[in-house]
Amino acid sequence: MSKLSYTKALNRALGDALAEDPAVFVLGEDIGAGLAGPTLGLLDRFGPGRVVDTPLSEQAFTGMAVGAALAGRKPVIEFQIPALLFLVFEQLVNQAHKFSLMTGGQTGVPLTCLVPGSGSRDGWAGQHSDHPYSLFAHAGVKTVVPATPTDAYGLLLSAVRDPDPVVVFAPAAVLGVRENVTWELAPVPLGSARVHRPGTDVTVVAVGHLVHEALAVAEELAGEISVEVLDPRTLHPFDWAALAASLERTGRLVVIDDSNRSCGIGAEILATAAEEMRLTAPPRRITRPDGAVLPFAPALDRALQPGREQLLHAVRSVVKNPWR
Amino acid sequence: MTDRHLPDLADPEGRYRMLRLIRGFEQLALGLVKSGAITGGIHPYIGQEAVAVGVCAALRPQDRITSTHRGHGHVLAKGADPGRLLAELCGRVGGLNQGRGGSMHAADLSLGILGANGIVGAGAPIAVGAAWAARQAGEDRVAVSFFGDGALNQGVLLESLNLAAVWRLPVLFVCENNGYATTLPAATAVAGSGTGRAAGFGIPAVEVDGMDTEAVREATELAVRRAREGGGPAFLECRTYRFEGHHTMERRMKLRYRSTEEIEHWRARDPLERAAAGLADGRRAGLDAAVDAELAEAERFALASDHPDPAGACDHLYADGLRPRAGAVA
Ligand SMILES: Cc1ncc(C[n+]2csc(CCOP(=O)(O)OP(=O)(O)O)c2C)c(N)n1
Ligand SMILES: [Mg+2]
């Protein structure tokens, strides 16, 4: 048995992907030095032809990765900060994502983007604290947010093997999480949700680091309310069947999601559940405010993030309030 | 609008004082990162002070600047109050941005400081826009964009050079080439040279010793005079060095991208010592004491300032006061 950290799990997945397929290569800023963690030691192991340190030219190297993918390679780009995705939205959404359809299926673009440290990091302020996974789900890019070390390993490996572009968000708040691993690490299929804790009264859908908050709330409420914690793991394509099955059991839904409220993935989950699934009470979601920009001061930053107290309150209220 | 220079930087003593203020401010901030009063760390400017002071010495109060993630030196040299900058770093309501921005977004619009910036290269087009607006308004203000060698590889920086050149805008591009973008050596990342790139757009470009305040000031004065007279943009590449790590986080990591000899070589060229050598005998101690007193007062002010009320976390999200919906139904 060993303790596996989330960052180490990403590191293992990249190492295994590089080892199993010579088409795979990793590129990004300061990755030779392993500054962010996931690429630590890979340059020594695989050399500068497979682990490529780039100048600060995100648009060019993302576009270059698209080109390399069209030429048969499988690039993995590590982005130092989530805001860099805004710079390369063109290359990811308007180029990589559209090639399969626009070429009539002649090619896919097997490109993986890894964002270690997404969401708030204490004290990094407005331009370094975004969590834009809903933007990619909205655009239709495959989008993954692992919550645990074993899922981080399994989903990143599947993302690299996938024939389409995939963006993998590794929230800053889980990078330090460690897990006892007694089994072989294995790939986790994209598009499959995971029930972390079964329950019968309320389904809490939690995204990324918030899975751990949801589990804490479920534990706190045990004996009073039976909470099922469902982690979608992949936001696009979403495992709607798993959500429907869970709501068949509970009939009540609360979503906790680190997106801005309007047009966030939490909104989509509530809407789909309301349209298509069994709900015995009005659903709730906990998100960042509409259009939030995280302020610098730690107390202000925390005030805008979805939190445990709000979740506790929402779970109690959906149990008390059926449709009128 | 008659002042030729930022008043504090008009003479060599004033410039020494500002170099020393920036150096002392950064040392103070490093201590407050360690103690936890500053969250998130900082990108220290220590070693590069001659660039901020030399450039700002050639500016007027109405001129505007855009800065970087390593911005404290620029912000202070353009005239920001050290106490309010420090309070900002500590996330207090008395800060320049009321604790909303922090180190990487420090701004004082009343002084023409359009902000430090968390995105490499992002300040360049903003400076171009400020210069364009000034020219349209018939004002003889210039705009200065500070950026690092890493930003030379951002497409938006090259696009900005082009706009400034084709429209002959009064903007000065100041590249602080400290040899590295985080761990990446500029020598392995920049094809050709910064000045060569600017020259490719027809922009007059010179290399300057970025450890020499007076050399930077003289080059800037030439460029700024020409820009005010309608002669268009200019590009300065200041060769400099940061004495500390890229970010305070780096102190906890064992990174080996710079040799001890290299660091010692550059430390021996300390811009502060160079400026001190030009002072009249016996003046240094008095200036140092005055700066130390000012910094002690800045620290007192910053730490006495209140923490912001979490209820106001969405204040200022919109200029018209629009309140967003909260993240949860009460
Ligand atoms: C567009 C962009 N890419 C990457 C980063 C992450 N990052 C922050 S500072 C930095 C290095 C910048 O180097 P340089 O421009 O030379 O400035 P220096 O840090 O040397 O002052 C990097 C890669 C960023 N903030 N913005
Ligand atoms: Mg640099």
Side-chain angles (χ1 to χ4, degrees):
Chain A
M1 189 177 81
S2 66
K3 276 263 192 197
L4 180 68
S5 82
Y6 192 104
T7 301
K8 184 72 194 156
L10 294 173
N11 183 247
R12 289 262 291 270
L14 289 179
D16 290 355
L18 283 160
E20 77 178 13
D21 185 349
V24 174
F25 70 106
V26 185
L27 69 164
E29 292 158 7
D30 305 295
I31 65 171
L35 198 69
T39 62
L40 203 65
L42 297 181
L43 178 61
D44 284 346
R45 217 174 129 198
F46 297 98
R50 312 277 310 279
V51 178
V52 183
D53 258 320
T54 59
L56 274 62
S57 303
E58 291 84 7
Q59 290 184 289
F61 69 64
T62 305
M64 170 256 174
V66 176
L70 295 176
R73 300 295 299 265
K74 293 189 165 185
V76 181
I77 307 176
E78 184 191 86
F79 289 100
Q80 261 178 16
I81 47 179
L84 301 184
L85 295 172
F86 300 148
L87 270 72
V88 301
F89 213 61
E90 152 65 17
Q91 284 73 23
L92 293 180
V93 172
N94 208 30
Q95 303 293 337
H97 172 54
K98 294 185 177 173
F99 257 81
S100 179
L101 178 120
M102 292 192 309
T103 61
Q106 295 177 62
T107 184
V109 178
L111 163 68
T112 304
C113 298
L114 173 63
V115 191
S118 56
S120 169
R121 309 192 239 189
D122 267 357
W124 287 76
Q127 289 177 335
H128 281 60
S129 303
D130 294 297
H131 224 159
Y133 48 72
S134 294
L135 285 181
F136 288 90
H138 177 75
V141 178
K142 294 178 178 175
T143 305
V144 173
V145 195
T148 68
T150 46
D151 281 349
Y153 174 89
L155 289 162
L156 179 54
L157 193 58
S158 295
V160 178
R161 291 177 179 176
D162 198 87
D164 289 310
V166 183
V167 182
V168 180
F169 289 86
V174 288
L175 291 179
V177 167
R178 290 164 162 274
E179 189 179 352
N180 283 318
V181 179
T182 51
W183 56 89
E184 279 284 290
L185 290 171
V188 172
L190 302 188
S192 72
R194 169 175 175 184
V195 174
H196 277 269
R197 176 183 175 121
T200 51
D201 295 328
V202 189
T203 298
V204 171
V205 176
V207 177
H209 58 294
L210 297 170
V211 167
H212 303 281
E213 301 294 314
L215 287 169
V217 165
E219 185 59 32
E220 189 171 339
L221 289 172
E224 176 189 347
I225 299 169
S226 169
V227 175
E228 175 148 312
V229 177
L230 183 95
D231 172 6
R233 301 197 289 193
T234 304
L235 301 182
H236 186 78
F238 198 95
D239 189 349
W240 297 119
L243 179 63
S246 179
L247 292 177
E248 279 305 316
R249 290 188 286 277
T250 64
R252 301 184 186 91
L253 174 63
V254 177
V255 179
I256 183 160
D257 162 27
D258 197 25
S259 300
N260 293 344
R261 192 168 187 81
S262 179
C263 302
I265 192 74
E268 180 58 34
I269 296 169
L270 256 61
T272 302
E275 281 183 330
E276 303 173 18
M277 298 174 195
R278 188 181 87 93
L279 285 178
T280 59
R284 285 279 188 108
R285 67 193 143 131
I286 320 286
T287 61
R288 292 186 185 190
D290 275 353
V293 176
L294 291 195
F296 165 68
L300 301 183
D301 173 319
R302 274 192 298 276
L304 299 190
Q305 291 181 58
R308 207 176 279 195
E309 278 310 306
Q310 295 165 315
L311 180 59
L312 200 76
H313 177 79
V315 169
R316 286 209 170 103
S317 89
V318 294
V319 170
K320 267 194 244 123
N321 302 307
W323 294 110
R324 270 167 291 183
Chain B
M1 304 268 161
T2 50
D3 347 38
R4 270 196 26 81
H5 294 293
L6 289 185
D8 292 348
L9 306 180
D11 56 63
E13 275 198 6
R15 294 193 280 275
Y16 171 79
R17 198 176 184 290
M18 183 56 76
L19 292 165
R20 178 65 171 66
L21 181 78
I22 297 170
R23 176 71 54 92
F25 182 93
E26 293 295 65
Q27 282 162 346
L28 180 56
L30 287 174
L32 293 175
V33 169
K34 214 171 204 172
S35 77
I38 294 175
T39 321
I42 61 166
H43 299 87
Y45 194 64
I46 294 176
Q48 303 183 201
E49 296 92 341
V51 181
V53 176
V55 168
C56 290
L59 300 182
R60 299 176 185 170
Q62 318 80 268
D63 294 332
R64 299 185 174 105
I65 66 166
T66 63
S67 172
T68 69
H69 55 286
R70 199 177 304 290
H72 307 163
H74 313 138
V75 171
L76 289 170
K78 191 65 176 55
D81 177 70
R84 293 190 60 214
L85 178 60
L86 194 63
E88 188 56 36
L89 269 49
C90 294
R92 309 298 179 99
V93 293
L96 290 174
N97 313 24
Q98 302 186 38
R100 268 62 178 181
S103 167
M104 276 195 286
H105 306 298
D108 189 334
L109 276 288
S110 72
L111 298 170
I113 302 165
L114 307 191
N117 207 303
I119 302 301
V120 170
I126 296 175
V128 168
W132 182 88
R135 216 233 346 240
Q136 293 297 100
E139 301 165 346
D140 68 350
R141 295 170 159 191
V142 303
V144 175
S145 167
F146 290 99
F147 53 89
D149 47 284
L152 286 173
N153 291 321
Q154 286 289 322
V156 71
L157 193 117
L158 302 175
E159 295 175 30
S160 300
L161 291 177
N162 185 58
L163 284 186
V166 290
W167 292 338
R168 286 181 80 81
L169 297 175
V171 54
L172 176 61
F173 297 94
V174 178
C175 176
E176 295 188 68
N177 182 350
N178 61 9
Y180 296 86
T182 317
T183 66
L184 183 72
T188 67
V190 182
S193 66
T195 49
R197 290 179 185 193
F201 291 100
I203 297 178
V206 290
E207 269 187 47
V208 190
D209 179 358
M211 306 306 267
D212 180 348
T213 312
E214 299 309 312
V216 174
R217 179 181 55 77
E218 283 161 21
T220 309
E221 281 182 352
L222 266 177
V224 163
R225 192 174 316 134
R226 193 176 51 238
R228 279 199 217 288
E229 289 165 359
F235 186 102
L236 292 190
E237 178 165 340
C238 304
R239 194 64 184 86
T240 181
Y241 203 76
R242 59 172 158 74
F243 292 173
E244 293 285 319
H246 168 70
H247 181 269
T248 41
M249 224 165 49
E250 194 178 309
R251 289 186 161 190
R252 281 188 272 122
M253 301 177 173
K254 289 178 231 83
L255 296 177
R256 294 241 174 98
Y257 61 95
R258 307 194 299 182
S259 69
T260 319
E261 298 76 58
E262 183 182 290
I263 297 173
E264 287 314 314
H265 166 78
W266 283 94
R267 277 186 181 277
R269 308 199 54 231
D270 191 329
L272 198 60
E273 296 309 316
R274 185 175 197 131
L279 294 174
D281 279 349
R283 288 295 295 153
R284 185 177 191 179
L287 292 167
D288 287 354
V291 167
D292 288 339
E294 187 176 359
L295 287 170
E297 171 54 22
E299 182 178 19
R300 195 205 55 73
F301 171 83
L303 297 179
S305 177
D306 286 336
H307 290 277
D309 177 357
C314 284
D315 290 357
H316 312 295
L317 181 58
Y318 295 95
D320 69 356
L322 174 67
R323 307 298 301 189
R325 284 183 305 171
V329 176

